[in-house]
Amino acid sequence: MPDIVVVPIGMVRSSLTDPREAPRQPDEGAPRARIELTPEAAPAAADLRAGDRIVVLTWLDRADRATLRVRPRDDPEREETGVFSTRSQARPNPIGLHEVTVTAVDAGRITVDALEAVDGTPVLDIKPVLTDVQQR
Amino acid sequence: MPDIVVVPIGMVRSSLTDPREAPRQPDEGAPRARIELTPEAAPAAADLRAGDRIVVLTWLDRADRATLRVRPRDDPEREETGVFSTRSQARPNPIGLHEVTVTAVDAGRITVDALEAVDGTPVLDIKPVLTDVQQR
């Protein structure tokens, strides 16, 4: 299979700068953040509105791509687990999935309520949360 | 921002071969399918079991990456919508998210109950559905 080239559609802007401070689950208190889209991708966001529930796909570019097994939450009492059974950032293709609510949209800048990704993280895609789509 | 190189972890094997036949939502009757992992990635799946709920991330390699606006469900009566507000396969980075149930695991081959991706689609990542993780 050939490798795949992905062109980021934007970047996370956040007060979170140290990956070790990033909460591991959204319910652990991620900060508000902004997604700055590239000029090329911005037209695809023209119909996003405050209140929309979206899934933001990020590329966790500081993650270790060579690790295939981890101890969940780095807990030494847990057994090593294949990363496809965990949400560890360490995995062959460290794509983050973040379900968030849009709080504001302004010309290619999307503010969201809580995003557990550090400043500068590339953004790959934005999708509506599926239950919202199904209701349309 | 630099481009990102993604190395597929495996490939979808399915009776679905024509993209036009692919159901647009999982509840529209996707067929059972198999994910064949590469030898390099297979150890990361060692703890997957029948019954696990997982999210399969695919690369929809037949999708149109230049389209930024679509009519939802190709319905001519609907207005054009920015693709980040739709689940259209047409988008700058056509990453598919498929929430499925594992029905069998056998040495790097994972059978799932229903997957709306055509035969040969590259697989990028596998994650547990979040509610399952949170309960652990």
Side-chain angles (χ1 to χ4, degrees), chain A residues 35-104:
Chain A
I35 298 165
E36 292 190 358
L37 297 174
T38 62
E40 295 75 23
D47 295 285
L48 291 177
R49 299 286 179 266
D52 286 355
R53 290 285 294 166
I54 57 172
V55 184
V56 179
L57 285 75
T58 60
W59 183 256
L60 304 166
D61 54 353
R62 292 148 180 92
D64 172 10
R65 300 180 68 177
T67 294
L68 299 179
R69 299 176 66 75
V70 296
R71 286 185 204 281
R73 300 184 153 247
D74 294 327
D75 182 342
E77 297 195 1
R78 299 221 188 178
E79 288 189 19
E80 274 202 342
T81 304
V83 294
F84 295 157
S85 296
T86 80
R87 285 271 179 155
S88 169
Q89 296 203 357
R91 54 207 313 118
N93 293 314
I95 298 171
L97 299 183
H98 316 265
E99 208 174 299
V100 303
T101 300
V102 175
T103 57

Side-chain angles (χ1 to χ4, degrees), chain B residues 46-119:
Chain B
D47 295 284
L48 291 177
R49 299 283 179 269
D52 287 355
R53 289 285 295 166
I54 57 173
V55 184
V56 179
L57 285 75
T58 58
W59 182 255
L60 303 166
D61 55 352
R62 292 149 178 92
D64 172 8
R65 299 180 69 177
T67 293
L68 299 179
R69 299 176 67 75
V70 295
R71 289 187 202 280
R73 298 183 155 250
D74 295 326
D75 181 343
E77 298 195 1
R78 298 221 188 177
E79 289 189 18
E80 274 202 342
T81 304
V83 294
F84 295 156
S85 295
T86 80
R87 285 270 180 155
S88 170
Q89 295 202 359
R91 52 208 313 118
N93 293 313
I95 298 171
L97 299 183
H98 316 264
E99 208 172 300
V100 302
T101 301
V102 175
T103 56
V105 184
D106 173 25
R109 294 173 167 205
I110 302 162
T111 307
V112 300
D113 60 341
L115 188 64
E116 70 280 23
V118 297
D119 187 61

Side-chain angles (χ1 to χ4, degrees), chain A residues 120-135:
Chain A
T121 300
V123 177
L124 307 185
D125 195 11
I126 295 172
K127 298 180 192 292
V129 169
L130 200 53
T131 48
D132 294 344
V133 176
Q134 290 171 328
Q135 286 164 2

Side-chain angles (χ1 to χ4, degrees), chain A residues 5-54:
Chain A
V5 177
V6 175
V7 181
I9 61 160
M11 186 183 282
V12 172
R13 288 301 180 196
S14 172
S15 59
L16 203 64
T17 53
D18 183 343
R20 289 167 300 181
E21 287 173 8
R24 300 182 203 190
Q25 301 295 346
D27 58 357
E28 292 176 0
R32 177 175 289 239
R34 201 169 66 235
I35 298 165
E36 292 190 358
L37 297 174
T38 62
E40 295 75 23
D47 295 285
L48 291 177
R49 299 286 179 266
D52 286 355
R53 290 285 294 166
I54 57 172

